[in-house]
Amino acid sequence: MSPSSSSAPSVAAPTEYAERLGLRWWYWLAGLALAGLLAAELWMGAPGLRSWLPFVLVPPATVAALWWLGRIRVAVRDGELRVDDARLPVRFVADAVPLDAAGRREVLGVGSDPLAFVVQRPWIGGAVQVVLDDPADPTPFWVVSSRRPVELAAAIMAARDAA
């Protein structure tokens, strides 16, 4: 008996789909440039504490805000669609429809359902509409932003069919 077969930890099934809805690099560049400009405006040649305090506080606050904006993770694994802290068992999924920017605008427009669960990031063009089939849940569908909506919809449907 080989030592690797008995003492090796079991490896979890690979993630079927994973994505982070982070900001593009130029948003970070623009945000930090604006933070530097704001710090310089607050400084304006003032003596004492006001001379260095804006440069200590504003850039880290900007980095924290930019990180917070891009913290959302979307994953399909273990029979669930996971969007940040929300979990949806794929057995309740009736359909997953990939949307482009125009389709997302139509689904989230004036006639949208107020009970829908929406995680939408305006800097990401695509999305997936996940239609639910759960009579106990008043939520008719989820709309989740995605840079790869076709892949996310396929992963959701594959996980549903495998369950």
Side-chain angles (χ1 to χ4, degrees):
M1 177 179 229
S2 70
S4 62
S5 65
S6 64
S7 63
S10 62
V11 177
T15 301
E16 296 176 27
Y17 181 88
E19 176 180 13
R20 186 168 160 254
L21 304 180
L23 294 166
R24 301 282 186 184
W25 66 270
W26 56 83
Y27 283 104
W28 282 87
L29 185 64
L32 291 174
L34 287 173
L37 182 63
L38 178 62
E41 285 291 323
L42 291 173
W43 166 57
M44 293 297 289
L49 184 64
R50 277 192 49 205
S51 66
W52 58 268
L53 195 58
F55 295 101
V56 171
L57 296 178
V58 174
T62 302
V63 167
L66 290 171
W67 173 84
W68 184 81
L69 285 172
R71 79 190 187 292
I72 301 293
R73 294 184 185 274
V74 176
V76 178
R77 88 171 146 246
D78 302 329
E80 291 181 326
L81 169 61
R82 300 175 181 197
V83 181
D84 198 22
D85 293 338
R87 306 281 191 263
L88 174 65
V90 292
R91 69 179 179 270
F92 296 122
V93 173
D95 197 12
V97 181
L99 304 170
D100 60 358
R104 184 186 68 182
R105 199 170 29 254
E106 183 178 326
V107 168
L108 298 177
V110 176
S112 69
D113 194 322
L115 296 177
F117 176 79
V118 178
V119 175
Q120 191 261 137
R121 294 294 182 249
W123 56 87
I124 297 176
V128 173
Q129 180 183 21
V130 181
V131 181
L132 303 183
D133 183 24
D134 184 9
D137 189 357
T139 306
F141 58 86
W142 286 24
V143 177
V144 180
S145 288
S146 175
R147 286 192 174 91
R148 303 179 317 235
V150 174
E151 293 176 33
L152 176 56
I156 292 169
M157 296 308 288
R160 185 200 65 181
D161 294 342

